[in-house]
Each structure stands twice: as C-alpha cells, then as structure tokens.
Amino acid sequence: MRPLPRCHSGPAPAKTGKQKWIAPRSRTRGSGKCRHYFPINASCCGTWRRGHFGHPSFEGYSVLAATSGASTIVVDLDAQGRLDLERMAQAVTDKTRLVAICSPNNPTGTTVSRIEFERFHTKVPSDVLILLDEAYAEFVTDPEAFYGLRDVSVLRHPNVVVLRTFSKAYGLAGLRIGYAVGHPRVLDAARATAIPLSLTGLAEVAALASLEAEMELRERIANLIQNRDGLQARLRNTGIAVPEAQGNFVWLPVGEAATGLGEMFDQAGLVVRVFPSMGVRITVGDVNSVAVVADVVAAYQLASRLVQ
C-alpha cells in the first residue's frame, strides 16, 4: 500500500479484514468515527438545516450537528429499544439534510434489519444523507441485521455513508482511527472540510497490524459474545425486559430506577453508564463479572421491594 498523505488522511485500507475490496475514492480514514461524522455533517448541514437521529442514541450526533449550525430532530426509540425507522422517515422535511442510524444502537444494543433499512432508504429523499454508524458491527450475530460493508452499494445507495472504527472490537480506542465508506462525491466533499493532520502514523500501523491478526480478533469477539449472551440471559431472569444485545454492552431499561441502580453498581465497584430516567448501559466484561452484575441487580430489586 502506498504511503498516505499527511495533511488529510487518505484512502482507508483497500480491504477491511475479509470484507470486499473498496475503491480508493469510496473510502477514507481518519482519527476515529467522529472525525468522519464532523466533516460529513459540515459539508451537508448548516443554518436552517436539520439532522435527525433516534433517542437515546450516540450523544455525539447532536453535539456535532450543532457545530455546523444545524438544528436537530430526535425520534424516540420504540418499546423494544429499537430505532423507529418508520417514524424517522415521517419526520424528514425539506430542511432535513442528514439522518444518522446507529446499528447496533448505542446504548440499547439493538440493530436495524435489512428489510427495515431498505424500506427506510426508499422513503428518504435522495438528497438526504444517511449515515450508518456501525461502530459495534463486529459483535453482531443476528443474521437479519443490515451490514453496511456487505449490503451498501454505491450505485444503489449513493446517499449512504458507512462509518466504522477500530476503537471497539480491535481495541485501539486510545489511538483514534476509523474509516468511512460511501459515494466518492460525498467523501470528496467531506475531505474538503476535514480537520488536517488528524491521524498519526502509529494509529495507521496499529490498524493495519490489527487487520492481519484476524484469528485473534475472532477469538476475542467470540469470547465477548458468549459473555454478553450469558449476561443478557441472567438479567432477563430477574424480570427485566432486556433488549436483544448486539454490541459489546447490555441495556437495562429500568426508567426512573436508573440512578438508584447506578449508585448500587458504584458501591459494588462496578463502572456503568447511567441514563437518568431511562436506563443503565453495562459494558460486557469477563466471565466472572456476569454473576457479579446479576447479583447487584437482584440485590437492588430486593432492596426496592423492602423499601416499598
């Protein structure tokens, strides 16, 4: 592979693991997923324009949309913690320029199916950009889930950009490197507004080395998925309607109990992400942590019943 230019991070790896070959102008790399979201958002949004996304979802969407002066429209998830693509499509107006779809969704872990995505794509105007955020795609086991690097075609989906990162499954969060795949015209516009000098040589070397270590990656992901599914089963046994987890985390939709449950996790020495009045996101750890997490939840439920 020829060296990349230093000012703007150039073409991403021609292959991502065993994925299909991607034409140079249809790919670009940079310092993490947000490095791509920012220039793409800046190139298509602005004052009096709108960006749409689900709620709760990745918090960075609204922050980055605001940097371009765009307003934001959020659409609540459905009762199963999934993106409601039907309502998101209905919310699109002539001011909408960008819709972000996070699949698996952060923090609920649910995915968008191929049927749902294709139906959504046909309902969204062709001049509205769809950002498919697949930061956790390597952990997906649902065969019906839409998978951008496999299912997106530049000819069939010219207004779709797939965002990927090396921060999650590859374990390179501290080095900040990710890539985008989409139509050359969209990525050319994004490059024109991108932050220069955002990618280090060390991150490039680490990412390319990670792609060569596919067997180790597969083993690491398989272990995590096993722990995730085990944790999900244990938590469902407590009576909590845990959504189908497809990332490296599990979502507890406990509503107003989120803050209290988060405090009990803190007392147990476990770090979780609390979304007040909505739920708690738990990142999957090793096999020993599964029982510990389940015990904390059971203890909180017992304490709540005693108080009542």
Side-chain angles (χ1 to χ4, degrees):
M1 177 179 292
R2 62 184 177 83
L4 301 180
R6 296 292 93 193
C7 182
H8 286 302
S9 306
K15 291 183 179 180
T16 54
K18 290 188 176 180
Q19 301 300 331
K20 62 186 180 182
W21 187 89
I22 304 169
R25 285 188 61 214
S26 294
R27 48 186 164 87
T28 183
R29 68 169 70 158
S31 56
K33 177 189 68 178
C34 289
R35 146 63 174 82
H36 298 291
Y37 186 94
F38 173 78
I40 291 172
N41 173 78
S43 65
C44 69
C45 289
T47 306
W48 308 114
R49 301 302 184 186
R50 290 177 178 170
H52 293 226
F53 21 86
H55 177 73
S57 196
F58 177 54
E59 302 98 313
Y61 298 148
S62 58
V63 175
L64 292 169
T67 62
S68 67
S71 61
T72 58
I73 301 295
V74 295
V75 177
D76 290 338
L77 307 183
D78 66 16
Q80 287 73 46
R82 305 179 73 250
L83 292 173
D84 192 335
L85 295 190
E86 184 68 30
R87 291 184 58 222
M88 290 179 72
Q90 293 172 359
V92 171
T93 70
D94 58 351
K95 293 183 178 181
T96 303
R97 285 297 173 267
L98 182 148
V99 179
I101 296 177
C102 190
S103 181
N105 185 51
N106 179 12
T108 58
T110 54
T111 55
V112 170
S113 72
R114 279 176 283 184
I115 294 176
E116 289 171 328
F117 184 88
E118 294 294 358
R119 184 184 299 126
F120 174 78
H121 184 258
T122 61
K123 294 181 178 181
V124 173
S126 60
D127 62 348
V128 172
L129 187 64
I130 300 173
L131 283 185
L132 181 59
D133 182 350
E134 294 189 328
Y136 301 92
E138 289 84 1
F139 303 106
V140 174
T141 55
D142 182 0
E144 298 303 317
F146 189 84
Y147 191 76
L149 294 186
R150 176 195 63 201
D151 300 328
V152 168
S153 163
V154 171
L155 295 178
R156 195 170 72 253
H157 307 93
N159 62 329
V160 177
V161 173
V162 180
L163 301 181
R164 300 294 289 269
T165 181
F166 284 87
S167 294
K168 312 304 179 186
Y170 291 92
L172 301 183
L175 293 178
R176 310 309 303 159
I177 181 167
Y179 59 96
V181 177
H183 195 284
R185 287 180 297 180
V186 177
L187 297 187
D188 284 346
R191 292 185 187 102
T193 57
I195 299 173
L197 306 173
S198 66
L199 180 62
T200 67
L202 178 60
E204 289 183 20
V205 172
L208 293 173
S210 295
L211 291 174
E212 296 300 322
E214 186 163 352
M215 291 304 297
E216 291 89 339
L217 174 69
R218 289 177 178 271
E219 181 179 353
R220 186 164 64 246
I221 291 174
N223 288 336
L224 189 142
I225 289 173
Q226 183 176 7
N227 293 341
R228 177 195 70 193
D229 293 348
L231 177 60
Q232 178 177 256
R234 288 287 296 269
L235 293 173
R236 284 177 172 173
N237 286 339
T238 68
I240 299 176
V242 179
E244 189 64 31
Q246 291 290 291
N248 65 344
F249 51 87
V250 174
W251 173 250
L252 299 181
V254 293
E256 296 297 331
T259 300
L261 180 57
E263 291 174 352
M264 184 161 283
F265 274 115
D266 186 59
Q267 293 168 10
L270 299 177
V271 178
V272 298
R273 180 72 189 280
V274 175
F275 291 73
S277 302
M278 289 186 284
V280 176
R281 193 195 108 145
I282 304 171
T283 300
V284 177
D286 61 28
V287 65
N288 295 322
S289 68
V290 171
V292 177
V293 170
D295 288 345
V296 170
V297 173
Y300 179 79
Q301 290 177 315
L302 176 61
S304 298
R305 286 194 293 270
L306 292 176
V307 170
Q308 293 175 353

